Amino acid sequence: MTEAADEVADLAPDDVPYSLPWRVATLVHRHRETATAVTLDLDVPGWRGAMAGQHVDVRLTAEDGYSAQRSYSLASPASMGMAAGDATSERIALTVQVVDDGEVSPYLTEDLELGDQVELRGPIGNWFVWHPADPRPVQLVAGGSGLVPLMSMVRTHAARGSSAPQRLLVSVRSPDDALYADELDRPSPAVEVTRVWTRSGPPGWTGRVGRVDAELLRAACFPPDVAPRVFVCGPTTFVEAVADALVDLGHDADLIRTERFGPTGV
Amino acid sequence: MAIVSRGFRGRRTTDPRLPPGQYLERGFPVLSAGPTPRADLTTWTFSITAGGSTRASWTWAELQALPADDVVKDIHCVTKWTKLDSSWRGVSLDTLLDGVDISSAEQFALAHCDGGYTTNLPLADLRDGKAWIAYGYDGAPLRPEHGGPARLLVPHLYFWKSAKWVRSIELGTSETQGFWERLGYHAYGDPWKEQRYWGD
């Protein structure tokens, strides 16, 4: 992975250490994705731009000074390298999935109103990133709201006109839980989308319902011999199972990047 | 001056053992950059190296034969969760470093792991009862996704310093940045000073 880190540094323009001050972000648009997920468009003056796949820390502060921080992935395409001050370069989108019994996500998805401000810092995470200069085929594998940072990669791929072949495998419980469904139902010609329903498919669905397994990964993903760069994001159990199965199928572990969240039950 | 979020109350689980910006977590989340490596204990070794040569090395059986500590520690992940009173079993770095020939100029350590992960820390942070090579968690062998068969445990720093799947510690006379440290995270990582990222 150290060699791979060097490769990231070569591809990314952003390998010089920088500091990440808290910035004030203003909510300019909100879009409900599902019953439990909302996309927040925020204007962030001074935003330095981000690579596809990165996240930010959001901080909420109560009137008495109590504060809480959480991390959220950027859903917007990479804005790295765009002219400072460009309106789009200082606007970001976060998709927030409500966490049961969560402290910050219910406020962001239910209470935050247009014009309200929050503090955030970022971008963070210079590893789980895809750079449009990377010519390798790109295999994206998402479980649930793990789709968010991968959607940034899909959007970046489209926005930059990348010619790298790109496939997206999305595991989602049911159509009601599907993020970005409209956008992915009319994909750009360069991204192939495979959906896996783990609980129930759309009305009239007669195909398979169940978890992602090795057979499905073999059928839906680029084969190991084209050496795709693979990004896997989702709950820990999903990421563990998918990454293990991909290695078993012959994928090079050094080309697989993972981002996990959620408890393991240990 | 912080922006006040109207109507935000929060959970208010304050605890003097919770560093700034952290929240209490009862599970044990997993974070790693790639697939979980598969270790073969028949060929596994843990080594202390410097300048390209091995100063000391232990097989799995030799490590198990060393005196072990059972320690209960709070752990703090840079992704904001803190887990209080986690139970570990492992060999103190004091035990491992004792008897290894180390020059006074060798003040820096870089941990190397299966899968290629590295992390750097001052040698002083591995001494004086502050660090272990841990192979047990909660009364059972450390599971692979949590760093088994063995991980570095340095609970006074953010948990990415407690490198999973550790195989060697390389001593040096200057600081070499590790994996996350080169990718945006703080070189030292003191949770009480909230040293999460570059420039903190």
Side-chain angles (χ1 to χ4, degrees), chain A residues 1 6 17-18 57 61-62 64 66 69-71 101 103 107 116 121 124 127 240 244 248 258 260 264, chain B residues 5-6 8 10-12 23 28 30 32-34 36 38 80 115-116 146 179 182-183 185 194 197-198 200:
Chain A
M1 272 196 290
D6 290 334
Y18 49 85
D57 285 356
T61 302
D64 64 355
Y66 173 86
Q69 299 178 31
R70 294 294 187 278
S71 298
D101 196 28
E103 180 171 26
Y107 186 90
D116 282 354
R121 63 193 302 218
I124 295 154
W127 171 249
E240 284 288 326
D244 271 357
D248 283 341
T258 61
R260 313 159 198 233
T264 61
Chain B
S5 298
R6 256 182 313 107
F8 175 66
R11 211 185 274 144
R12 293 172 184 269
Y23 66 90
F28 188 177
V30 168
S32 37
T36 297
R38 296 154 198 199
K80 321 284 177 339
H146 287 307
F179 179 82
R182 294 170 58 205
L183 290 168
Y185 288 80
E194 214 173 351
Y197 313 121
W198 288 339
D200 281 355

Side-chain angles (χ1 to χ4, degrees), chain A residues 1-2 5-6 8-9 14-20 22 24 55 57 59-64 66-71 101-104 107 111 113 116-119 121 124-127 236 240 243-245 247-248 253-254 256-266, chain B residues 1-14 20-38 78-80 83 112 114-118 137-138 143-146 164-165 178-185 194 196-200:
Chain A
M1 272 196 290
T2 44
D6 290 334
V8 171
D14 213 29
D15 55 348
V16 179
Y18 49 85
S19 61
L20 294 167
W22 288 103
V24 176
H55 61 273
D57 285 356
R59 179 166 72 184
L60 299 181
T61 302
E63 289 192 19
D64 64 355
Y66 173 86
S67 70
Q69 299 178 31
R70 294 294 187 278
S71 298
D101 196 28
E103 180 171 26
V104 173
Y107 186 90
D111 300 335
E113 295 174 5
D116 282 354
Q117 295 183 320
V118 296
E119 287 175 297
R121 63 193 302 218
I124 295 154
N126 298 8
W127 171 249
T236 289
E240 284 288 326
D244 271 357
V247 170
D248 283 341
D254 284 346
I256 302 173
R257 296 184 188 183
T258 61
E259 185 128 292
R260 313 159 198 233
F261 45 80
T264 61
V266 172
Chain B
M1 184 61 206
I3 298 290
V4 170
S5 298
R6 256 182 313 107
F8 175 66
R9 287 243 346 124
R11 211 185 274 144
R12 293 172 184 269
T13 41
T14 51
Q22 297 291 108
Y23 66 90
L24 282 177
E25 168 67 52
R26 285 181 176 74
F28 188 177
V30 168
L31 275 123
S32 37
T36 297
R38 296 154 198 199
V78 71
T79 64
K80 321 284 177 339
K83 186 172 176 58
H112 293 266
D114 281 337
Y117 182 78
T118 55
Y137 175 76
D138 222 3
R143 290 161 53 140
E145 70 267 30
H146 287 307
K164 295 177 182 182
W165 315 304
F179 179 82
W180 286 121
E181 293 84 359
R182 294 170 58 205
L183 290 168
Y185 288 80
E194 214 173 351
R196 299 181 192 276
Y197 313 121
W198 288 339
D200 281 355

Side-chain angles (χ1 to χ4, degrees), chain A residues 95-109:
Chain A
T95 301
V96 179
Q97 176 78 43
V98 177
V99 176
D100 289 343
D101 196 28
E103 180 171 26
V104 173
S105 58
Y107 186 90
L108 292 178
T109 54

Side-chain angles (χ1 to χ4, degrees), chain A residues 89-177:
Chain A
S89 77
E90 294 190 338
R91 180 165 298 180
I92 62 171
L94 306 179
T95 301
V96 179
Q97 176 78 43
V98 177
V99 176
D100 289 343
D101 196 28
E103 180 171 26
V104 173
S105 58
Y107 186 90
L108 292 178
T109 54
E110 304 297 336
D111 300 335
L112 195 69
E113 295 174 5
L114 295 185
D116 282 354
Q117 295 183 320
V118 296
E119 287 175 297
L120 61 79
R121 63 193 302 218
I124 295 154
N126 298 8
W127 171 249
F128 194 80
V129 294
W130 177 74
H131 198 273
D134 187 349
R136 282 183 191 278
V138 197
Q139 179 66 54
L140 310 174
V141 186
S145 57
L147 177 58
V148 178
L150 304 185
M151 196 64 190
S152 174
M153 298 180 190
V154 169
R155 289 168 169 167
T156 301
H157 187 276
R160 301 295 176 90
S162 165
S163 57
Q166 190 185 48
R167 287 185 187 173
L168 170 63
L169 174 60
V170 190
S171 168
V172 61
R173 215 156 31 178
S174 71
D176 286 345
D177 301 297

Side-chain angles (χ1 to χ4, degrees), chain A residues 229-251:
Chain A
R229 193 179 297 289
V230 185
F231 294 89
V232 188
C233 188
T236 289
T237 47
F238 175 86
V239 172
E240 284 288 326
V242 168
D244 271 357
L246 289 169
V247 170
D248 283 341
L249 287 172
H251 288 268

